[in-house]
Amino acid sequence: MTPPQPAQQPPAVLKFGGSSFQTLAAYGQLAESLAERVEKENTRLVVVVSGQPGETEQFRDRLSKVNPHPEDETVAGLLTLADTVGAQLLATALHRTGRTSTVLAGHQLGLTTDSSFMWARLEQTDPEPLRAALAENEVVVVPGGQAADKEGRPTWLGKNSSDLSAVAVAAAVGSPACEIHSDVDGIYSCDPHLITGARLLDEVSYNTAALMSLYGAKVLHRRAVRLAQRHRIEIVCRYNRPPFPAGSVIGNAGSSVAAVVLNRSSAALRYDTEELADRAYTVFHAANIDVVRLTSGPLVAVTGGFVDLPEFQRRNGLVPGEYAGVPVTAVRGSHVVTQLADCEEDALHLSQRLHDHVNRPGAGADPNAPLLELQGV
């Protein structure tokens, strides 16, 4: 009788954003680290990657020079190529180390979306393509943000959606955790590159991470957090350079946080009436774009950027909203207050003042204290 075989452990799922690949040499350096992990842990890996910094924007610029108003299907098909290039470069770097590797692009991955093309929504996952690729390769490399609709046409999961790809892959292969590598080691009380005194948040609940992401925090994709919550996948944030130290962990646990969210690519739009603002919010939200309906007037905040606001409103028959500033949001527990700054420089100063305020000694004693006092700080 053949002795029972030990259960196959699920592969480790890792994501590396574009900041991990500042130079071409970075692909070889990362490949060496991945090959070492395969050897030491006797495991297989699924590695989700983004393109090099600026490559997506270069494709977008070239496209706009050919057609200033390109159709979404073409945009989705072209912009995702930056991540495909990155995936192939990492795969060939892995081959050079002697490890077996293959690339599964969006149309091969088993992730099916609606036909939104831009900011597509995941509808179905078939784990078989990943399982088959892992059976024959030590490392499977996945270009982030890619999927396909039911007709096999390329779709894009939206800006910074490599996180969403990574969590979807982890769910497909049954991994209990997903490691997100970036140029910061986790979620901070504000952007540490911009604000002094920003603190690393060691444990963050799914709800808090999703809330901060909705208001523009760049560390994690909001829909990735919600998908991880549904599948009980722990998200481990790591720095993207060896030895890849872990920072924040996103899961069921997590104490109340005091933080300020600033994304300089976010924009608030002011409409003539509350009804026009409500309609604009509904249209943006239906297109899977992260948007917040502010309560301080007929205002809509489109968070995270990478949306051609005039073109989107024109295509969808919206009365154009007037630019109202950069939203800056203070978070304490489940309470949020958003203020608007006239420009990026003012947004930086406002964020620093708000961050100093919510993190002053004693400010966090009551996590449910209202934030109305922050107005006018």
Side-chain angles (χ1 to χ4, degrees):
M1 178 182 292
T2 304
Q5 298 297 311
Q8 182 73 34
Q9 275 198 325
V13 178
L14 300 76
K15 175 255 178 175
F16 288 86
S19 62
S20 307
F21 308 108
Q22 298 287 348
T23 65
L24 288 176
Y27 290 98
Q29 293 161 3
L30 178 57
E32 293 286 349
S33 296
L34 296 175
E36 183 178 344
R37 180 164 178 173
V38 169
E39 179 70 24
K40 280 186 175 180
E41 299 182 10
N42 189 29
T43 189
R44 305 213 164 195
L45 307 176
V46 181
V47 184
V48 179
V49 299
S50 300
Q52 285 189 283
E55 282 209 342
T56 300
E57 288 72 17
Q58 289 177 21
F59 278 121
R60 189 182 185 96
D61 181 61
R62 290 162 66 183
L63 182 60
S64 67
K65 289 177 180 176
V66 175
N67 181 358
H69 304 294
E71 60 282 1
D72 286 350
E73 186 175 358
T74 299
V75 177
L78 184 63
L79 297 192
T80 53
L81 291 181
D83 304 311
T84 301
V85 171
Q88 295 290 355
L89 290 174
L90 181 59
T92 198
L94 283 160
H95 293 154
R96 192 175 183 183
T97 70
R99 295 296 172 184
T100 56
S101 176
T102 191
V103 172
L104 285 185
H107 65 285
Q108 304 167 308
L109 192 54
L111 300 182
T112 304
T113 70
D114 59 16
S115 296
S116 173
F117 296 113
M118 303 279 286
W119 309 284
R121 187 178 298 277
L122 283 172
E123 292 186 338
Q124 186 177 349
T125 301
D126 178 6
E128 286 308 314
L130 277 164
R131 290 174 181 168
L134 286 164
E136 297 183 0
N137 296 275
E138 294 165 304
V139 184
V140 175
V141 187
V142 174
Q146 296 185 3
D149 68 3
K150 290 175 181 154
E151 297 180 20
R153 297 173 297 184
T155 57
W156 188 44
L157 300 176
K159 180 68 172 171
N160 298 324
S161 56
S162 293
D163 297 344
L164 181 55
S165 297
V167 173
V169 163
V173 298
S175 292
C178 177
E179 302 174 25
I180 304 291
H181 298 73
S182 65
D183 58 355
V184 292
D185 54 353
I187 299 178
Y188 279 75
S189 56
C190 200
D191 189 332
H193 297 308
L194 302 174
I195 301 301
T196 59
R199 299 174 296 103
L200 178 69
L201 307 175
D202 295 327
E203 286 190 340
V204 181
S205 70
Y206 293 120
N207 288 338
T208 297
L211 179 67
M212 293 178 66
S213 179
L214 173 62
Y215 281 87
K218 294 184 288 186
V219 174
L220 285 171
H221 190 282
R222 181 179 61 86
R223 283 186 284 151
V225 176
R226 289 306 188 195
L227 185 63
Q229 186 175 24
R230 286 200 299 273
H231 290 275
R232 299 182 180 179
I233 296 169
E234 190 174 73
I235 299 176
V236 180
C237 300
R238 293 184 180 274
Y239 188 58
N240 61 6
R241 296 287 184 271
F244 308 111
S248 303
V249 176
I250 292 88
N252 284 318
S255 57
S256 181
V257 304
V260 173
V261 178
L262 166 64
N263 187 324
R264 292 180 292 177
S265 297
S266 299
L269 300 173
R270 185 184 302 278
Y271 293 86
D272 290 338
T273 67
E274 299 287 347
E275 290 73 19
L276 289 174
D278 289 341
R279 181 169 186 270
Y281 169 81
T282 300
V283 172
F284 278 111
H285 183 71
N288 301 331
I289 298 170
D290 278 346
V291 62
V292 177
R293 176 66 166 92
L294 301 180
T295 58
S296 53
L299 294 160
V300 171
V302 183
T303 57
F306 219 73
V307 182
D308 186 336
L309 295 175
E311 175 65 9
F312 181 89
Q313 292 176 99
R314 183 190 69 82
R315 281 192 186 182
N316 289 276
L318 295 173
V319 176
E322 178 184 357
Y323 177 76
V326 181
V328 177
T329 300
V331 178
R332 187 186 293 146
S334 60
H335 296 272
V336 297
V337 167
T338 297
Q339 299 185 53
L340 301 180
D342 291 336
C343 61
E344 288 187 20
E345 184 177 356
D346 288 348
L348 283 172
H349 293 311
L350 175 60
S351 298
Q352 186 69 65
R353 295 199 305 274
L354 289 173
H355 186 269
D356 293 343
H357 182 83
V358 299
N359 287 281
R360 76 190 192 282
D366 180 2
N368 295 315
L371 288 171
L372 296 177
E373 63 194 82
L374 298 179
Q375 295 289 350
V377 168

